[in-house]
């Protein structure tokens, strides 16, 4: 493996933490004997083009510095290759890093761990979800949670997590379950009224909300969490338990496992790793061992 490492940096992640985190991560990698070049890009599309070029040119690893959005962008460059992915998680959610047991908001520690994993060949292959040509590492969200994202993304004020808290309150005021058509592994179509359907390659989204607590990054299957037709009061009662993952014990919640899922519902956008995929219907496939990661 070449000793040149490419840092793939989102300077705006975590209100500027991405830019500040690049330096200690790079210092840790250089101290371990790696040469480091940085890719930023003039736009998200330009940055991805540059990252893909680095992978094609044989970089020893692509190290994403940012949050889940940056990790997702890096996946588009390395998935299906043998180029290792490192994560310096300094964003708001950092759910893929959490799933991999990596340091969060400690760029120097993350850089040292990545350097050690690369030097010791302590790399592992994990599964990814794929929708069309787009890869994701954690959760494909649809339903109430994606409607909250839609509303939050339309709001110019306030900034940060508070914006999504307000968006959630607004969506609760207009809340109703959605009619879904769900097909697992080309089986029979299930028609259900559901609050949300979450397709988990990883276990959490939204900064530690364990919506699919049993999801395993290496089993070749999604965990599909279906929150049924509960009312506002039930939803408010169940919602806090998502952080512990105990919501799956509620009678309105069911969990399925499948390597492929087709989701259809009117007026619902799918989000993967927090990034919009587009309106349903969508078909997601779990691809075993699709990416190599520098993780313990």
């Amino acid at each position: 493996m070449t000793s040149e490492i490419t840092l793939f940096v989102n300077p705006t992640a975590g209100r500027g933490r991405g830019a500040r985190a690049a330096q200690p991560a790079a210092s840790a990698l250089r101290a371990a004997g790696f040469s480091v070049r940085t890719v930023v890009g003039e736009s998200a599309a330009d940055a991805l083009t540059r990252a893909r070029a680095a992978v094609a040119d044989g970089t020893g690893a692509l190290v994403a510095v940012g949050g889940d959005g940056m990790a997702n962008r890096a996946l588009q460059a390395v998935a299906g290759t043998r180029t290792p992915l490192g994560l310096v998680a300094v964003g708001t959610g950092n759910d893929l890093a959490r799933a991999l047991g990596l340091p969060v908001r400690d760029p120097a520690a993350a850089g040292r761990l990545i350097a050690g994993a690369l030097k010791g060949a302590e790399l592992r292959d994990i599964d990814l979800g794929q929708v069309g040509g787009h890869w994701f590492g954690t959760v494909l969200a649809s339903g109430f949670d994606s409607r909250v994202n839609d509303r939050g993304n339309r709001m110019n004020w306030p900034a940060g997590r508070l914006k999504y808290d307000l968006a959630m309150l607004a969506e609760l005021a207009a809340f109703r379950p959605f009619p879904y058509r769900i097909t697992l592994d080309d089986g029979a179509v299930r028609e259900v009224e559901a609050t949300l359907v979450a397709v988990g390659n990883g276990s959490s989204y939204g900064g530690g909300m364990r919506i699919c607590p049993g999801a395993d990054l290496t089993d070749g299957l999604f965990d599909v969490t279906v929150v049924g037709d509960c009312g506002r009061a039930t939803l408010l009662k169940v919602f806090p338990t998502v952080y512990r993952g105990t919501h799956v014990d509620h009678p309105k919640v069911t969990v399925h496992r499948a390597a492929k899922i087709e989701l259809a519902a009117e007026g619902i956008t799918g989000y993967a790793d927090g990034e919009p995929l587009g309106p349903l219907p969508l078909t997601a496939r779990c691809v075993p061992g699709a990416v190599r990661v520098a993780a313990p």
Side-chain angles (χ1 to χ4, degrees), residues 75-212:
L75 289 176
Q76 313 315 310
V78 298
T81 75
R82 293 291 81 190
T83 301
L85 172 67
L87 295 177
V88 178
V90 292
T92 303
N94 307 310
D95 287 286
L96 184 56
R98 294 174 199 273
L100 291 168
L102 298 174
V104 171
R105 297 181 185 170
D106 189 343
R112 289 192 297 270
L113 187 148
I114 292 165
L118 293 172
K119 292 192 79 169
E122 295 171 357
L123 308 172
R124 57 182 172 126
D125 296 336
I126 63 167
D127 307 336
L128 293 178
Q130 188 178 38
V131 177
H134 191 89
W135 300 93
F136 67 94
T138 57
V139 177
L140 190 167
S142 73
F144 176 76
D145 44 7
S146 66
R147 291 291 286 266
V148 170
N149 262 326
D150 284 342
R151 184 179 289 271
N153 290 342
R154 294 193 299 268
M155 294 168 62
N156 295 320
W157 181 92
R161 189 174 294 276
L162 179 58
K163 175 168 67 173
Y164 292 94
D165 291 341
L166 293 177
M168 181 180 297
L169 291 174
E171 283 299 319
L172 274 172
F175 173 72
R176 57 177 175 76
F178 310 102
Y180 276 88
R181 297 184 304 282
I182 303 171
T183 308
L184 302 174
D185 289 332
D186 297 319
V189 176
R190 305 166 187 239
E191 297 191 3
V192 299
E193 293 281 324
T195 302
L196 64 87
V197 178
V199 181
N201 181 56
S203 59
S204 72
Y205 63 3
M209 297 171 64
R210 301 183 65 231
I211 188 68
C212 301

